[in-house]
Amino acid sequence: NAGVTQTPKFQVLKTGQSMTLQCAQDMNHEYMSWYRQDPGMGLRLIHYSVGAGITDQGEVPNGYNVSRSTTEDFPLRLLSAAPSQTSVYFCASSYSLLGKLFFGSGTQLSVL
Amino acid sequence: TQLLEQSPQFLSIQEGENLTVYCNSSSVFSSLQWYRQEPGEGPVLLVTVVTGGEVKKLKRLTFQFGDARKDSSLHITAAQPGDTGLYLCADIYNQGGKLIFGQGTELSVKP
C-alpha cells in the first residue's frame, strides 16, 4: 500500500496564482484532512472531511477550498495565492476520527 | 476555544539524559494522541491515551494522562540521538471532527 500520497513535493507560486494540492489515500479511510505547518505553530487544521461529499472547515480555512467526490481523493485548492500561505502542507487520513492519523510526506509551498 | 499548550517549546540535551515534555488543555481532553515528526516527514502516531490517570509505555517513552484529563506528559529515559524530532500532542476539538494539535516541542539529542 502507498498510504497517503501528496503531490507536488515542492511548489513556488506568484501572488494571485491558483493551484491545487493533490492528496490520495488507498486505505479506504473515511476521514481526511489538510493541515498547514508553520514554525512554532504546530499543525493547524485547514479543512477536513468525514466521508465522500462531506467537508467542513477547520481552524484556518480562509483562502482554501476543498471537495471530496471520492473516498480516495481530497484535493486542496488555493484560489488566489498570498505570501501568508507560504507553508508546509500535510494531508492526513484515518479510518475514524479517533483512529490513528496517517500523514503524507508534505508539500512545501512558497508564494512570492 | 480549546487550546493545547506544549512545553517546553525547545529542548536540547545530551545523549543519556532524561526529559519530560508536557501538554496542557484549557478543557478536558477527549482522546489525547502523541505524535513524533522527523525533519521532512509527516508526523507519526506514538500513542493514544483516553482514561484519566492512564500510563502507557513504549520502550523508553512513558506517557501519562492526568487524572482530570486536562494534562499529559511524555517522559523519555536515557535519550538517544534517534529521539530527535518534533513531539506533538493532539486532541479532538468539541467532538466536531476536528483533530487539533499543540504547537509542539522540538527536541534535539546530541551525541
Side-chain angles (χ1 to χ4, degrees):
Chain A
N1 284 343
V4 179
T5 303
Q6 285 184 241
T7 56
K9 183 75 172 173
F10 300 95
Q11 183 70 50
V12 178
L13 294 177
K14 293 182 180 178
T15 297
Q17 287 184 317
S18 63
M19 79 157 295
T20 299
L21 306 185
Q22 301 292 344
C23 176
Q25 52 90 10
D26 61 359
M27 297 173 282
N28 202 32
H29 285 168
E30 291 293 331
Y31 184 87
M32 296 187 74
S33 52
W34 277 101
Y35 291 87
R36 60 176 289 172
Q37 186 171 37
D38 304 292
M41 302 288 288
L43 291 159
R44 291 185 291 170
L45 182 64
I46 304 172
H47 286 284
Y48 66 99
S49 169
V50 297
I54 306 169
T55 64
D56 205 346
Q57 296 181 348
E59 301 170 275
V60 288
N62 292 342
Y64 307 95
N65 271 1
V66 292
S67 60
R68 184 94 180 271
S69 56
T70 67
T71 299
E72 293 78 21
D73 300 299
F74 191 43
L76 178 71
R77 298 182 187 85
L78 280 71
L79 306 175
S80 178
S84 61
Q85 293 178 305
T86 293
S87 187
V88 180
Y89 291 84
F90 287 97
C91 178
S93 74
S94 66
Y95 179 73
S96 68
L97 177 58
L98 296 179
K100 176 182 178 179
L101 206 59
F102 291 82
F103 283 85
S105 56
T107 295
Q108 191 167 325
L109 175 68
S110 294
V111 183
L112 306 177
Chain B
T1 301
Q2 181 186 25
L3 189 66
L4 296 183
E5 290 283 348
Q6 291 190 243
S7 61
Q9 190 172 355
F10 300 97
L11 192 55
S12 180
I13 61 172
Q14 293 295 128
E15 182 177 2
E17 293 183 4
N18 301 332
L19 66 115
T20 302
V21 299
Y22 300 92
C23 177
N24 295 290
S25 175
S26 56
S27 57
V28 174
F29 288 124
S30 299
S31 174
L32 186 71
Q33 301 178 354
W34 281 96
Y35 289 80
R36 179 170 66 203
Q37 183 180 21
E38 297 183 11
E41 302 290 331
V44 175
L45 180 69
L46 294 173
V47 76
T48 300
V49 285
V50 178
T51 306
E54 186 175 3
V55 177
K56 284 191 174 180
K57 292 192 175 184
L58 186 65
K59 296 183 181 177
R60 292 176 294 101
L61 278 61
T62 301
F63 302 86
Q64 191 155 2
F65 205 17
D67 290 339
R69 296 173 59 214
K70 294 184 71 174
D71 60 275
S72 181
S73 63
L74 159 59
H75 181 79
I76 301 179
T77 302
Q80 299 176 1
D83 295 325
T84 292
L86 180 67
Y87 289 81
L88 297 153
C89 64
D91 191 27
I92 299 164
Y93 170 59
N94 202 26
Q95 301 184 350
K98 303 179 184 181
L99 187 66
I100 304 298
F101 284 80
Q103 79 273 34
T105 293
E106 196 166 335
L107 172 65
S108 173
V109 182
K110 302 186 189 308

